[in-house]
Amino acid sequence: MLKSVNGCAHEWFISLTESEDEAQLDVRLIDSLQAILQTQKIAVFVRENALKEQNITLITDNLTEQDFTPENIDSLYLKLQDNKIHTCLCSQLRISYIPICHCESVIGFVVAVHTKEEILDTNQFGTAVNVLHIYANQRHVLFKNRLDPLTELLNRQTFESKLMEVIAGHDHREKIGEHCAWYLGMLDIDNFKQVNDQFGHVIGDEVLILIARLIKTNFRSQDYIFRYGGEEFSVLFKCAAEDTAVLILERLRGMIAQHIFPQVGTITISIGFTELESGRILSTLVQQADVALYDSKRSGRNKVTNFKQIEGQHHLEYGVEHEHELFK
Protein backbone atom coordinates (compact mmCIF):
# COMPACT_ATOMS: atom_id res chain seq x y z
CA MET A 1 0.00 0.00 0.00
CA LEU A 2 1.25 3.50 -0.79
CA LYS A 3 2.09 6.05 1.86
CA SER A 4 -0.13 9.09 2.36
CA VAL A 5 1.16 12.61 1.70
CA ASN A 6 0.74 16.02 3.24
CA GLY A 7 -2.56 17.42 1.95
CA CYS A 8 -1.38 21.05 2.15
CA ALA A 9 1.35 20.57 -0.45
CA HIS A 10 2.65 24.13 -0.01
CA GLU A 11 5.95 23.38 -1.71
CA TRP A 12 4.21 22.14 -4.86
CA PHE A 13 1.83 25.11 -4.93
CA ILE A 14 4.73 27.55 -4.66
CA SER A 15 6.68 25.70 -7.36
CA LEU A 16 3.76 25.89 -9.81
CA THR A 17 2.93 29.56 -9.19
CA GLU A 18 6.59 30.53 -9.67
CA SER A 19 6.66 29.00 -13.18
CA GLU A 20 7.38 31.63 -15.83
CA ASP A 21 6.33 29.70 -18.93
CA GLU A 22 4.17 26.72 -19.88
CA ALA A 23 7.10 24.37 -20.47
CA GLN A 24 8.47 24.99 -16.98
CA LEU A 25 4.97 24.71 -15.53
CA ASP A 26 4.41 21.33 -17.19
CA VAL A 27 7.70 19.94 -15.88
CA ARG A 28 6.90 21.07 -12.34
CA LEU A 29 3.42 19.58 -12.55
CA ILE A 30 4.82 16.18 -13.51
CA ASP A 31 7.36 16.32 -10.68
CA SER A 32 4.60 17.19 -8.22
CA LEU A 33 2.20 14.49 -9.40
CA GLN A 34 4.86 11.81 -9.41
CA ALA A 35 5.68 12.65 -5.79
CA ILE A 36 2.04 12.90 -4.69
CA LEU A 37 0.77 9.82 -6.52
CA GLN A 38 4.06 7.97 -6.00
CA THR A 39 4.41 6.69 -9.54
CA GLN A 40 6.55 7.56 -12.54
CA LYS A 41 3.82 6.33 -14.87
CA ILE A 42 1.81 9.45 -15.62
CA ALA A 43 0.31 11.00 -18.75
CA VAL A 44 -1.17 14.51 -18.88
CA PHE A 45 -3.60 15.76 -21.52
CA VAL A 46 -4.75 19.37 -21.61
CA ARG A 47 -6.32 21.97 -23.92
CA GLU A 48 -3.73 24.53 -24.98
CA ASN A 49 -6.20 27.40 -24.61
CA ALA A 50 -8.48 27.21 -21.60
CA LEU A 51 -10.66 30.01 -23.03
CA LYS A 52 -12.12 28.02 -25.92
CA GLU A 53 -12.78 24.50 -27.09
CA GLN A 54 -9.76 22.84 -28.65
CA ASN A 55 -8.48 19.35 -29.19
CA ILE A 56 -6.75 17.84 -26.18
CA THR A 57 -2.95 17.89 -26.41
CA LEU A 58 -0.65 15.33 -24.82
CA ILE A 59 1.97 17.29 -22.87
CA THR A 60 3.78 14.33 -21.33
CA ASP A 61 3.56 10.56 -21.47
CA ASN A 62 5.50 8.07 -19.39
CA LEU A 63 2.95 5.33 -20.11
CA THR A 64 4.61 3.56 -23.00
CA GLU A 65 2.46 0.48 -22.47
CA GLN A 66 -0.79 2.43 -22.80
CA ASP A 67 -2.35 3.01 -26.22
CA PHE A 68 -3.73 6.57 -26.42
CA THR A 69 -5.46 6.83 -29.78
CA PRO A 70 -7.35 10.04 -30.66
CA GLU A 71 -10.59 8.09 -30.20
CA ASN A 72 -9.53 6.90 -26.72
CA ILE A 73 -8.51 10.40 -25.70
CA ASP A 74 -11.82 11.91 -26.85
CA SER A 75 -13.75 9.15 -25.07
CA LEU A 76 -11.87 9.71 -21.82
CA TYR A 77 -12.31 13.47 -22.08
CA LEU A 78 -16.07 13.12 -22.48
CA LYS A 79 -16.28 10.64 -19.62
CA LEU A 80 -14.41 12.98 -17.28
CA GLN A 81 -16.72 15.93 -17.94
CA ASP A 82 -18.47 14.91 -14.72
CA ASN A 83 -15.34 16.27 -12.95
CA LYS A 84 -14.95 13.09 -10.90
CA ILE A 85 -11.98 10.80 -10.43
CA HIS A 86 -12.38 7.42 -12.12
CA THR A 87 -10.37 4.32 -11.23
CA CYS A 88 -10.38 0.95 -12.97
CA LEU A 89 -8.49 -2.33 -12.91
CA CYS A 90 -6.91 -3.52 -16.14
CA SER A 91 -5.03 -6.82 -15.97
CA GLN A 92 -2.54 -6.32 -13.13
CA LEU A 93 -2.74 -2.52 -13.28
CA ARG A 94 -4.78 0.03 -11.34
CA ILE A 95 -5.43 3.08 -13.58
CA SER A 96 -6.69 6.40 -12.19
CA TYR A 97 -8.16 9.17 -14.36
CA ILE A 98 -8.12 12.61 -12.69
CA PRO A 99 -9.80 15.60 -14.40
CA ILE A 100 -8.08 18.99 -14.70
CA CYS A 101 -10.66 21.70 -14.01
CA HIS A 102 -10.59 25.46 -14.60
CA CYS A 103 -13.57 27.76 -13.87
CA GLU A 104 -15.89 24.75 -13.60
CA SER A 105 -14.82 23.45 -17.01
CA VAL A 106 -12.78 20.29 -17.49
CA ILE A 107 -9.82 21.29 -19.68
CA GLY A 108 -7.85 18.05 -19.53
CA PHE A 109 -7.03 15.01 -17.44
CA VAL A 110 -4.23 13.00 -15.84
CA VAL A 111 -3.74 9.25 -16.20
CA ALA A 112 -1.77 7.58 -13.40
CA VAL A 113 -0.88 3.88 -13.40
CA HIS A 114 -0.07 1.70 -10.38
CA THR A 115 0.12 -2.01 -9.75
CA LYS A 116 -3.04 -3.73 -8.57
CA GLU A 117 -1.74 -3.81 -4.98
CA GLU A 118 -0.92 -0.08 -4.84
CA ILE A 119 -3.98 1.77 -3.59
CA LEU A 120 -4.11 5.56 -3.30
CA ASP A 121 -5.85 7.09 -0.30
CA THR A 122 -8.27 10.02 -0.26
CA ASN A 123 -5.53 12.38 0.92
CA GLN A 124 -3.37 11.66 -2.13
CA PHE A 125 -6.22 12.17 -4.57
CA GLY A 126 -7.28 15.37 -2.76
CA THR A 127 -3.77 16.77 -2.89
CA ALA A 128 -3.45 15.90 -6.58
CA VAL A 129 -6.75 17.66 -7.34
CA ASN A 130 -5.61 20.78 -5.44
CA VAL A 131 -2.31 20.82 -7.32
CA LEU A 132 -4.17 20.48 -10.63
CA HIS A 133 -6.37 23.46 -9.74
CA ILE A 134 -3.26 25.57 -9.14
CA TYR A 135 -1.75 24.28 -12.38
CA ALA A 136 -4.87 25.16 -14.41
CA ASN A 137 -5.04 28.66 -12.89
CA GLN A 138 -1.34 29.33 -13.52
CA ARG A 139 -1.63 28.04 -17.09
CA HIS A 140 -4.51 30.44 -17.67
CA VAL A 141 -2.54 33.37 -16.20
CA LEU A 142 0.49 32.60 -18.41
CA PHE A 143 -1.77 32.36 -21.46
CA LYS A 144 -3.48 35.70 -20.73
CA ASN A 145 -0.11 37.39 -20.21
CA ARG A 146 0.84 36.49 -23.79
CA LEU A 147 -2.20 38.27 -25.25
CA ASP A 148 -2.83 41.76 -26.52
CA PRO A 149 -5.76 42.94 -24.36
CA LEU A 150 -7.70 44.60 -27.22
CA THR A 151 -7.52 42.01 -30.01
CA GLU A 152 -6.70 38.92 -27.91
CA LEU A 153 -4.00 38.07 -30.42
CA LEU A 154 -0.53 37.18 -29.16
CA ASN A 155 1.41 40.29 -28.13
CA ARG A 156 4.71 41.83 -29.27
CA GLN A 157 6.76 40.27 -26.46
CA THR A 158 5.46 36.83 -27.38
CA PHE A 159 6.26 37.53 -31.05
CA GLU A 160 9.96 37.95 -30.32
CA SER A 161 10.24 34.85 -28.14
CA LYS A 162 8.18 32.70 -30.51
CA LEU A 163 10.12 33.81 -33.58
CA MET A 164 13.37 32.99 -31.80
CA GLU A 165 11.94 29.58 -30.85
CA VAL A 166 10.92 28.82 -34.43
CA ILE A 167 14.28 29.92 -35.84
CA ALA A 168 16.04 27.67 -33.34
CA GLY A 169 13.83 24.74 -34.34
CA HIS A 170 12.36 24.40 -30.85
CA ASP A 171 8.71 24.85 -31.75
CA HIS A 172 6.64 21.98 -30.38
CA ARG A 173 3.30 22.52 -32.06
CA GLU A 174 1.68 19.81 -34.13
CA LYS A 175 3.78 18.97 -37.17
CA ILE A 176 2.10 20.39 -40.26
CA GLY A 177 4.35 18.79 -42.82
CA GLU A 178 7.86 17.40 -42.96
CA HIS A 179 8.86 19.45 -46.01
CA CYS A 180 7.08 22.67 -45.04
CA ALA A 181 8.89 25.95 -44.40
CA TRP A 182 8.09 28.73 -41.96
CA TYR A 183 7.10 32.17 -43.27
CA LEU A 184 6.89 35.51 -41.50
CA GLY A 185 4.28 37.99 -42.70
CA MET A 186 3.96 41.63 -41.61
CA LEU A 187 0.53 43.23 -42.17
CA ASP A 188 -0.42 46.90 -41.86
CA ILE A 189 -3.83 48.58 -42.19
CA ASP A 190 -3.75 51.15 -44.98
CA ASN A 191 -4.56 54.77 -44.02
CA PHE A 192 -5.58 53.78 -40.51
CA LYS A 193 -4.86 57.27 -39.14
CA GLN A 194 -7.71 58.57 -41.31
CA VAL A 195 -10.08 56.09 -39.63
CA ASN A 196 -9.14 57.38 -36.17
CA ASP A 197 -9.26 61.03 -37.29
CA GLN A 198 -12.64 60.72 -39.03
CA PHE A 199 -14.51 58.25 -36.80
CA GLY A 200 -12.65 58.36 -33.47
CA HIS A 201 -10.55 55.87 -31.57
CA VAL A 202 -13.50 53.79 -30.38
CA ILE A 203 -14.41 52.93 -33.98
CA GLY A 204 -10.71 52.53 -34.73
CA ASP A 205 -10.46 49.93 -31.97
CA GLU A 206 -13.50 48.11 -33.40
CA VAL A 207 -11.74 47.96 -36.77
CA LEU A 208 -8.65 46.45 -35.13
CA ILE A 209 -10.77 43.83 -33.37
CA LEU A 210 -12.63 42.90 -36.57
CA ILE A 211 -9.43 42.67 -38.61
CA ALA A 212 -7.89 40.48 -35.91
CA ARG A 213 -10.89 38.14 -36.22
CA LEU A 214 -10.59 38.05 -40.00
CA ILE A 215 -6.91 37.17 -39.75
CA LYS A 216 -7.76 34.34 -37.32
CA THR A 217 -10.28 32.85 -39.75
CA ASN A 218 -7.65 32.79 -42.50
CA PHE A 219 -5.08 30.76 -40.55
CA ARG A 220 -4.95 27.44 -38.71
CA SER A 221 -4.71 26.83 -34.98
CA GLN A 222 -1.09 25.70 -35.58
CA ASP A 223 -0.14 29.15 -36.91
CA TYR A 224 0.82 32.14 -34.76
CA ILE A 225 -0.91 35.51 -35.09
CA PHE A 226 0.32 38.64 -33.29
CA ARG A 227 -0.61 42.24 -32.83
CA TYR A 228 2.80 43.69 -33.55
CA GLY A 229 1.87 47.23 -32.53
CA GLY A 230 -0.68 49.92 -33.39
CA GLU A 231 -2.35 48.93 -36.65
CA GLU A 232 0.36 46.40 -37.57
CA PHE A 233 0.01 42.63 -37.25
CA SER A 234 2.31 39.70 -37.93
CA VAL A 235 1.84 36.03 -38.67
CA LEU A 236 4.12 32.99 -38.43
CA PHE A 237 2.83 30.17 -40.56
CA LYS A 238 4.02 27.01 -42.24
CA CYS A 239 3.28 25.80 -45.76
CA ALA A 240 4.79 23.57 -48.43
CA ALA A 241 5.77 26.18 -51.02
CA GLU A 242 6.36 29.86 -51.57
CA ASP A 243 3.48 30.02 -54.05
CA THR A 244 1.18 28.63 -51.39
CA ALA A 245 2.31 31.31 -48.95
CA VAL A 246 1.40 33.95 -51.54
CA LEU A 247 -2.05 32.39 -52.05
CA ILE A 248 -2.70 32.30 -48.29
CA LEU A 249 -1.78 35.96 -47.85
CA GLU A 250 -3.61 37.05 -51.02
CA ARG A 251 -6.72 35.29 -49.73
CA LEU A 252 -6.47 37.28 -46.51
CA ARG A 253 -5.86 40.56 -48.33
CA GLY A 254 -8.89 39.98 -50.56
CA MET A 255 -11.10 38.93 -47.64
CA ILE A 256 -10.37 42.15 -45.76
CA ALA A 257 -10.73 44.33 -48.86
CA GLN A 258 -14.21 42.89 -49.48
CA HIS A 259 -15.39 43.15 -45.89
CA ILE A 260 -17.75 45.99 -44.98
CA PHE A 261 -16.76 47.51 -41.64
CA PRO A 262 -19.58 49.18 -39.67
CA GLN A 263 -19.60 52.99 -40.16
CA VAL A 264 -16.18 52.90 -41.86
CA GLY A 265 -17.00 50.92 -45.00
CA THR A 266 -14.10 49.23 -46.79
CA ILE A 267 -10.52 48.99 -45.57
CA THR A 268 -7.43 47.48 -47.14
CA ILE A 269 -4.19 46.05 -45.78
CA SER A 270 -0.68 45.84 -47.18
CA ILE A 271 1.42 42.74 -46.58
CA GLY A 272 5.09 41.82 -46.83
CA PHE A 273 6.53 38.40 -46.11
CA THR A 274 9.73 36.41 -46.10
CA GLU A 275 10.76 32.80 -45.64
CA LEU A 276 12.48 32.02 -42.35
CA GLU A 277 15.80 30.73 -43.63
CA SER A 278 17.98 28.96 -41.09
CA GLY A 279 21.08 30.81 -39.93
CA ARG A 280 19.58 34.29 -40.28
CA ILE A 281 19.39 36.48 -37.19
CA LEU A 282 15.99 37.51 -35.88
CA SER A 283 16.39 41.21 -36.63
CA THR A 284 17.33 40.49 -40.26
CA LEU A 285 14.26 38.32 -40.82
CA VAL A 286 11.96 40.99 -39.36
CA GLN A 287 13.71 43.61 -41.48
CA GLN A 288 13.15 41.54 -44.63
CA ALA A 289 9.40 41.25 -43.95
CA ASP A 290 9.27 44.97 -43.09
CA VAL A 291 11.04 45.94 -46.32
CA ALA A 292 8.55 43.82 -48.29
CA LEU A 293 5.68 45.51 -46.42
CA TYR A 294 7.12 48.94 -47.20
CA ASP A 295 7.33 47.97 -50.87
CA SER A 296 3.62 47.06 -50.84
CA LYS A 297 2.84 50.47 -49.31
CA ARG A 298 5.10 52.36 -51.70
CA SER A 299 3.71 50.69 -54.81
CA GLY A 300 0.06 51.49 -54.14
CA ARG A 301 -1.04 49.60 -50.99
CA ASN A 302 -3.52 46.69 -50.83
CA LYS A 303 -0.79 44.35 -52.06
CA VAL A 304 1.21 41.28 -51.01
CA THR A 305 4.98 41.46 -51.58
CA ASN A 306 7.45 38.60 -51.28
CA PHE A 307 10.84 39.85 -50.10
CA LYS A 308 12.58 37.38 -52.39
CA GLN A 309 11.07 39.14 -55.42
CA ILE A 310 12.54 42.55 -54.44
CA GLU A 311 15.69 41.42 -52.65
CA GLY A 312 18.00 42.76 -55.36
CA GLN A 313 16.57 46.26 -54.90
CA HIS A 314 17.63 46.50 -51.25
CA HIS A 315 20.92 46.15 -49.43
CA LEU A 316 20.47 44.55 -46.01
CA GLU A 317 23.14 43.53 -43.56
CA TYR A 318 23.01 39.73 -43.33
CA GLY A 319 24.39 37.91 -40.34
CA VAL A 320 24.61 34.37 -39.06
CA GLU A 321 23.02 33.75 -35.67
CA HIS A 322 25.55 32.34 -33.24
CA GLU A 323 24.22 30.13 -30.48
CA HIS A 324 25.27 32.43 -27.63
CA GLU A 325 23.54 35.38 -29.34
CA LEU A 326 20.34 33.45 -30.04
CA PHE A 327 19.63 32.53 -26.45
CA LYS A 328 20.97 35.55 -24.57
Side-chain angles (χ1 to χ4, degrees), residues 56-312:
I56 296 295
T57 302
L58 176 65
I59 63 171
T60 184
D61 180 10
N62 295 324
L63 303 178
T64 54
E65 70 273 21
Q66 300 294 313
D67 182 20
F68 291 116
T69 65
E71 294 74 21
N72 289 342
I73 294 170
D74 290 343
S75 176
L76 286 170
Y77 183 53
L78 290 174
K79 183 177 182 180
L80 291 166
Q81 291 302 305
D82 61 5
N83 197 16
K84 295 179 180 178
I85 296 171
H86 294 255
T87 300
C88 67
L89 294 176
C90 180
S91 184
Q92 297 301 310
L93 300 176
R94 185 181 299 275
I95 306 177
S96 302
Y97 303 95
I98 309 172
I100 303 173
C101 187
H102 180 263
C103 295
E104 300 184 356
S105 296
V106 176
I107 63 168
F109 58 90
V110 174
V111 183
V113 176
H114 296 85
T115 65
K116 188 176 181 180
E117 293 74 24
E118 295 174 318
I119 303 175
L120 299 179
D121 61 28
T122 304
N123 196 24
Q124 286 172 291
F125 278 128
T127 303
V129 168
N130 289 336
V131 164
L132 288 171
H133 277 309
I134 298 297
Y135 166 79
N137 288 337
Q138 184 68 7
R139 191 177 183 90
H140 177 74
V141 168
L142 291 173
F143 175 77
K144 291 290 285 183
N145 287 344
R146 300 203 317 263
L147 298 184
D148 169 64
L150 177 66
T151 62
E152 293 194 342
L153 298 178
L154 296 171
N155 58 28
R156 172 71 175 270
Q157 292 73 25
T158 308
F159 167 80
E160 293 173 352
S161 61
K162 183 54 62 178
L163 181 56
M164 190 174 293
E165 185 179 300
V166 168
I167 294 170
H170 295 159
D171 178 72
H172 299 297
R173 285 206 173 180
E174 178 184 346
K175 302 302 181 184
I176 303 171
E178 185 179 350
H179 303 293
C180 291
W182 281 100
Y183 293 88
L184 168 64
M186 303 297 288
L187 301 71
D188 190 84
I189 304 174
D190 295 327
N191 302 312
F192 185 68
K193 184 178 184 301
Q194 294 179 13
V195 174
N196 281 330
D197 290 346
Q198 184 174 351
F199 301 99
H201 289 278
V202 172
I203 299 300
D205 284 350
E206 289 182 4
V207 168
L208 290 171
I209 292 169
L210 290 172
I211 284 185
R213 290 175 183 172
L214 290 171
I215 296 173
K216 284 182 181 179
T217 63
N218 195 67
F219 289 91
R220 303 157 299 196
S221 61
Q222 300 98 329
D223 301 320
Y224 299 98
I225 307 169
F226 309 84
R227 184 183 179 192
Y228 192 73
E231 66 271 26
E232 192 169 2
F233 303 85
S234 61
V235 292
L236 275 173
F237 63 102
K238 233 178 179 184
C239 61
E242 198 172 78
D243 290 346
T244 306
V246 173
L247 290 174
I248 291 170
L249 295 173
E250 281 287 1
R251 181 180 62 197
L252 173 62
R253 183 203 57 76
M255 179 194 303
I256 291 175
Q258 293 171 16
H259 188 82
I260 304 300
F261 293 84
Q263 297 192 49
V264 177
T266 57
I267 287 175
T268 62
I269 62 168
S270 297
I271 303 174
F273 79 97
T274 189
E275 182 179 343
L276 298 187
E277 299 177 9
S278 61
R280 292 288 169 84
I281 61 175
L282 185 150
S283 58
T284 297
L285 293 168
V286 174
Q287 187 182 11
Q288 288 177 356
D290 266 336
V291 165
L293 170 61
Y294 174 76
D295 195 85
S296 289
K297 292 280 191 182
R298 184 183 57 80
S299 57
R301 301 184 176 89
N302 192 24
K303 289 184 60 178
V304 174
T305 301
N306 179 358
F307 176 76
K308 191 172 289 185
Q309 302 301 317
I310 62 167
E311 186 171 8

